[in-house]
Every structure is written in structure tokens, then in C-alpha cells.
Amino acid sequence: MQIIARFMKDESGATAIEYGLIAALVGVSIIVGLESLRDALNAILATISATLSGV
């Protein structure tokens, strides 16, 4: 029973898990931001392309 109680109080791996979750959240935020940037750049390049081709 003491082994289980000691295991429940041990928080040595909790910090690594928290850092992993923060890194995953930052990664997802970067991907979402880049996707919206991609759409904006596609619209700008399409406008430039249409202007240069005379359409």
C-alpha cells in the first residue's frame, strides 16, 4: 500500500508532460496561423497575377 501512495505523490514526470502539452499547443497555434497566412498570400498573388495578365 505504501508503494501506491508513494507513486501517487511522485510528480517528477508531471513537468515533462506539461512542457510537452505546451509545445503541442504552440505547434498547433503556428500551424493555424500559417494556414491563414497562406490564404491571404494566395489572394494577393492571384490579384497580382490577374493584373499582370490583363484579365
Side-chain angles (χ1 to χ4, degrees), residues 1-2 4-6 8 12 15 17 24 27-30 32-33 35 39-42 45 48 50-51 54-55:
M1 199 63 168
Q2 272 185 330
I4 295 173
R6 216 177 331 155
M8 295 299 287
S12 61
T15 304
I17 293 171
V28 168
S29 300
I30 289 172
V32 169
E35 284 182 359
D39 294 339
L41 284 176
N42 280 339
L45 291 175
I48 292 171
T51 302
V55 172

Side-chain angles (χ1 to χ4, degrees), residues 11-43:
E11 296 182 4
S12 61
T15 304
I17 293 171
E18 290 168 357
Y19 283 133
L21 290 172
I22 291 170
L25 182 62
V26 168
V28 168
S29 300
I30 289 172
I31 290 171
V32 169
L34 288 177
E35 284 182 359
S36 63
L37 180 64
R38 179 195 63 194
D39 294 339
L41 284 176
N42 280 339

